[in-house]
């Protein structure tokens, strides 16, 4: 199976293995095999028992990979495990960057949810507090990023309303627009910008033995409004777990409303785009989030 890169290179498993061996000879004896991924930005290859290779599928993903490598190399985390960057090549002989990470044992949250959602909510919120405690960097301000995570919600208004109308054949567009308008009416963030992961959904969280244990995929990380990292309240949690998440993060009413807006934005953007494609995990996650948001609004 060949992997076509939108900006001009083609790799297969042999090509990846040869590239790794030529750049980092100490890994040349390890077996390499492509693994399934529910994501849309990178192709993944297991290298031996302890490593994974990520190759971006398009230019936007290449920028995100570079961002992730830089951020992970500068920060340490204790609450949850994150990938260790072992090697990174910004340019290969095929013109495509490659990153080599430590392998994280476990399953993704979507496939094997934790036994206790309440415990998972507390662990994830404490991870976010730890992330936010890092000194913010102007280099990663949301306004400068391609993904716009953490910008004022008004910036995302046209795209969000467009996506809501595109799924009006399945969902009550008027009620979704009311949820969105309430988020827009919340007071804006008036504190300093903080570090955000930017993509905290079940496919990017790792469980081990029934416990939330790790976070992956920092490609959308940025510095901005902390409300942009609150979507797990609706993408992952119900009932008491949602309240545990809110209490641990000490989220006030305006931040909560903006966070609900980000949860809706992410969900309708993803669902409207992927619902007729083959990304079943992402379709299910985004649809479930929309249902939770509507249930809460009823």
């Amino acid at each position: 199976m060949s992997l076509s890169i939108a900006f001009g290179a083609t790799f297969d498993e042999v090509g990846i293995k040869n590239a790794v061996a030529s750049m980092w000879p100490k890994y040349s004896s390890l077996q390499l095999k492509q693994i399934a991924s529910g994501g849309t930005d990178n192709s993944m290859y297991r290298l031996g028992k302890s490593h994974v290779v990520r190759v971006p599928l398009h230019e936007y993903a290449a920028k995100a990979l570079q961002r992730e490598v830089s951020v992970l190399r500068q920060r340490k985390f204790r609450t949850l495990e994150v990938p260790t960057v072992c090697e990174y090549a910004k340019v290969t002989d095929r013109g495509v960057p490659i990153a080599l990470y430590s392998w994280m044992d476990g399953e993704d949250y979507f496939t094997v949810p934790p036994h206790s959602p309440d415990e998972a909510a507390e662990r994830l919120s404490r991870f976010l507090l730890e992330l936010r405690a890092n000194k913010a960097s102007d280099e990663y301000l949301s306004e400068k990023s391609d993904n716009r995570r953490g910008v004022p919600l008004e910036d995302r208004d046209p795209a969000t309303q467009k996506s809501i109308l595109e799924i009006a054949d399945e969902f009550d567009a008027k009620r979704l627009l009311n949820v969105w308008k309430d988020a827009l009416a919340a007071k804006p963030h008036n504190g300093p910008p903080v570090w955000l992961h930017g993509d905290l959904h079940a496919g990017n969280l790792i469980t081990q033995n029934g416990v939330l244990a790790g976070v992956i995929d920092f490609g959308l990380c940025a510095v901005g409004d902390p409300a942009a990292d609150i979507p797990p309240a609706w993408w992952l949690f119900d009932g008491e777990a949602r309240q545990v998440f809110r209490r641990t993060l000490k989220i006030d009413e305006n931040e909560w409303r903006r966070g609900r807006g980000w949860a809706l934005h992410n969900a309708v953007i993803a669902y409207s785009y992927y619902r007729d494609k083959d990304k079943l995990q992402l379709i299910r996650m985004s649809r479930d989030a929309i249902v939770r948001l509507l249930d809460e609004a009823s």
Side-chain angles (χ1 to χ4, degrees):
M1 176 181 177
S2 292
L3 170 66
S4 295
I5 308 296
F7 47 97
T10 300
F11 269 125
D12 55 18
E13 287 186 12
V14 173
I16 294 288
K17 184 170 177 58
N18 289 342
V20 168
S22 65
M23 292 184 293
W24 310 303
K26 65 181 178 180
Y27 303 105
S28 61
S29 64
L30 299 179
Q31 183 179 5
L32 182 138
K33 184 176 182 180
Q34 188 168 9
I35 54 178
S37 171
T40 60
D41 291 336
N42 296 279
S43 186
M44 311 281 286
Y45 298 82
R46 186 78 182 265
L47 183 65
K49 296 181 178 180
S50 303
H51 299 87
V52 61
V53 179
R54 288 176 60 183
V55 183
L57 293 168
H58 46 78
E59 189 170 4
Y60 175 82
K63 293 178 181 178
L65 185 64
Q66 182 177 358
R67 182 188 303 116
E68 175 181 70
V69 167
S70 177
V71 169
L72 288 177
R73 281 178 166 172
Q74 295 176 47
R75 278 149 196 87
K76 302 295 183 182
F77 299 92
R78 297 183 304 275
T79 305
L80 297 174
E81 184 181 355
V82 302
T84 299
V85 181
C86 301
E87 310 286 352
Y88 174 67
K90 185 176 181 179
V91 179
T92 65
D93 59 0
R94 306 290 185 94
V96 180
I98 292 179
L100 186 110
Y101 296 85
S102 59
W103 175 260
M104 191 183 300
D105 287 327
E107 302 288 343
D108 68 78
Y109 190 117
F110 180 86
T111 304
V112 183
H115 297 326
S116 170
D118 293 4
E119 180 187 21
E122 181 174 4
R123 289 176 66 82
L124 183 59
S125 55
R126 294 200 180 283
F127 166 81
L128 285 175
L129 291 173
E130 189 176 31
L131 175 62
R132 294 175 184 179
N134 284 276
K135 183 179 179 180
S137 168
D138 289 348
E139 179 184 358
Y140 293 94
L141 283 172
S142 299
E143 289 80 358
K144 298 179 181 179
S145 70
D146 295 333
N147 63 70
R148 312 296 289 170
R149 286 293 200 273
V151 297
L153 282 176
E154 290 80 0
D155 179 275
R156 311 309 302 146
D157 186 35
T160 304
Q161 293 209 37
K162 178 177 180 290
S163 293
I164 288 173
L165 295 177
E166 287 175 351
I167 60 174
D169 58 321
E170 291 189 57
F171 295 102
D172 187 332
K174 183 177 179 180
R175 291 173 63 205
L176 290 175
L177 287 170
N178 286 339
V179 173
W180 178 244
K181 289 174 182 177
D182 180 73
L184 290 176
K187 292 181 180 179
H189 179 56
N190 61 1
V194 301
W195 275 106
L196 311 166
H197 178 279
D199 203 18
L200 290 171
H201 60 68
N204 287 336
L205 301 174
I206 302 298
T207 61
Q208 297 172 357
N209 301 315
V211 176
L212 176 61
V215 180
I216 62 173
D217 200 346
F218 285 70
L220 298 186
C221 64
V223 171
D225 180 0
D229 261 348
I230 298 177
W234 295 274
W235 276 67
L236 298 175
F237 304 129
D238 294 287
E240 180 59 21
R242 185 178 298 159
Q243 296 309 312
V244 168
F245 187 72
R246 181 175 184 175
R247 286 196 301 268
T248 307
L249 286 171
K250 299 180 180 179
I251 301 170
D252 66 28
E253 184 62 23
N254 284 294
E255 184 179 342
W256 189 246
R257 290 163 66 191
R258 296 194 311 275
R260 187 186 290 120
W262 276 106
L264 178 63
H265 164 270
N266 295 352
V268 298
I269 293 284
Y271 190 69
S272 64
Y273 182 78
Y274 288 109
R275 63 174 173 164
D276 60 351
K277 298 177 175 62
D278 64 352
K279 293 297 180 181
L280 299 182
Q281 185 185 89
L282 190 50
I283 293 169
R284 173 71 181 276
M285 291 190 299
S286 55
R287 192 180 197 285
D288 286 352
I290 295 170
V291 170
R292 289 189 184 100
L293 287 159
L294 286 173
D295 286 348
E296 184 185 59
S298 62

